[in-house]
Structures are given as C-alpha cells and as structure tokens.
Amino acid sequence: FDHGCDALNSIFGSANWIAAMGLLPGSVNILLGEASGSANVQNKSYLSELLGGDAMLATFIILSPMTAFFVSTWELYFTGKLILPVFNGASEGLVMGASLSFISYIYGPMIWQQTTWTDGAIAFLGDNGIMAFSAMEGRVRNLDIVVLSSIIAL
C-alpha cells in the first residue's frame, strides 16, 4: 500500500515541477514579455526540437521518476533487497525537486525558459578556445538542462 501511494505521489510531484518550470505546450512569449509576433522561444530549443516539443518534455519529466520508482519496487519484490545508489531519487532527487520549486519561487517560472545558464557556459568555453558549442548559443534553455538530467539520471 505504501509503495502504491508513493508511486502516485511521484506523478503529482512531477506535475508540480512541470508547473514550477512553466513548461507549457503553447507559446510563452507573452509571459516572457516579448511581442506575440516574435519567434517562439520553445521553437529555438534543441532538446524540444529533438524530442518532439514541450509536451514530450513534460512526458519525460513524468515518466522518469515513475519508471525509476517502478524498477526499484520491482527489484525489491524479486530480490527482497532495495539497493539504492549513493545519489538516488528518494533523497537527493526530492531535494533537487524542492530546489527547483524554490528557484521558481524566487526568480519566477520563466527563468527556466531563458538560456542564461548555458549561454554563460558557452561563453566560458569559447573564451578558453573551445568553439564547438558556439552553435548552441541561445538554443538550450535552462529547462532543457533539467529535463536532460532527468533522462540521464534514469
């Protein structure tokens, strides 16, 4: 019973993080204060383009923790032991999710639609002679980093 409640709770937690990041299937230009005729920031995202849009990114945010929870519960059922790695979703994953919500509270959910983190990293790499990433400037949102890390962590 307890694991069933936790499995449902992971879906609600994921939905909360989707809302905290302002992950909308439509245009967020009005929320960003840009003109409605300007290019949609979601259309410029490499990850959104690769995976089929922001609705698919939301799907991955819901499925990643749910799949990890299912596999862990399955392992416990068949082996009788729950072996968690040092960095796991039950502890650090929840802290990261709470941090995500806190950042959204402080800076607003539209910080996730901006490209400030990756543009800063690309500028740093360009200053150090690594120009391979320069084509990605303005194309990787802060939100994309969170979604990609969720997929990789799975």
Side-chain angles (χ1 to χ4, degrees), residues 61-81:
I61 290 176
I62 288 176
L63 289 179
S64 291
M66 193 172 77
T67 304
F69 187 83
F70 175 76
V71 170
S72 297
T73 304
W74 196 16
E75 175 189 34
L76 176 64
Y77 179 77
F78 282 105
T79 65
K81 294 184 256 181

Side-chain angles (χ1 to χ4, degrees), residues 4-147:
C5 291
D6 291 341
L8 286 174
N9 191 30
S10 72
I11 296 170
F12 293 127
S14 297
N16 181 34
W17 297 332
I18 289 169
M21 289 188 294
L23 184 56
L24 306 171
S27 176
V28 295
N29 285 358
I30 295 171
L31 298 174
L32 288 171
E34 299 175 5
S36 60
S38 63
N40 188 0
V41 69
Q42 289 122 321
N43 294 340
K44 295 188 276 182
S45 166
Y46 271 142
L47 192 63
S48 183
E49 183 180 324
L50 176 70
L51 297 177
D54 281 355
M56 285 304 294
L57 296 183
T59 303
F60 281 115
I61 290 176
I62 288 176
L63 289 179
S64 291
M66 193 172 77
T67 304
F69 187 83
F70 175 76
V71 170
S72 297
T73 304
W74 196 16
E75 175 189 34
L76 176 64
Y77 179 77
F78 282 105
T79 65
K81 294 184 256 181
L82 180 61
I83 302 168
L84 293 174
V86 175
F87 187 85
N88 61 69
S91 302
E92 288 80 11
L94 289 174
V95 170
M96 289 173 63
S99 300
L100 186 145
S101 296
F102 188 70
I103 290 170
S104 293
Y105 171 73
I106 298 293
Y107 297 105
M110 289 301 112
I111 191 168
W112 302 107
Q113 300 291 338
Q114 298 170 0
T115 60
T116 50
W117 297 345
T118 52
D119 287 347
I122 290 168
F124 174 77
L125 292 172
D127 291 344
N128 291 319
I130 304 172
M131 299 305 294
F133 296 103
S134 62
M136 292 174 32
E137 189 168 5
R139 301 266 337 252
V140 181
R141 300 173 294 180
N142 301 336
L143 163 71
D144 297 337
I145 296 169
V146 174
V147 174

